Amino acid sequence: MPKIKTNRGAAKRFRATGTGKLRRSSAYKRHILTKKTTKTKRQLRKSGLVHKADHKPIKRLVPYL
């Protein structure tokens, strides 16, 4: 069997935790930040977890994660 190519865009967006869950960064923090409150911007710095229903398609994009 040939090797499976990794989707490079997805590889830059997702990382695996030690227990095998997928970590992602928050959206809505790139631009138009002046109208967002300091509290909102601070909370957007934290990473979140990918929902379990979305694990299978992401594992297909990044098979060696």
Side-chain angles (χ1 to χ4, degrees), residues 39 43 47 50:
K39 180 184 176 182
Q43 288 172 341
S47 61
V50 175

Side-chain angles (χ1 to χ4, degrees), residues 31-53:
H31 63 108
I32 316 176
L33 296 172
T34 50
K35 63 175 77 168
K36 294 180 178 109
T37 63
T38 310
K39 180 184 176 182
T40 304
K41 290 184 274 192
R42 185 170 58 247
Q43 288 172 341
L44 288 172
R45 281 186 218 139
K46 299 172 186 170
S47 61
L49 291 174
V50 175
H51 195 272
K52 199 165 192 310

Side-chain angles (χ1 to χ4, degrees), residues 4-14 22 54-65:
I4 305 166
K5 281 197 174 184
T6 297
N7 181 300
R8 298 310 297 161
K12 292 166 190 173
R13 285 169 169 83
F14 302 107
L22 296 175
D54 298 321
H55 276 215
K56 195 174 178 181
I58 292 169
K59 287 282 190 184
R60 202 173 294 133
L61 291 170
V62 192
Y64 305 105
L65 190 66

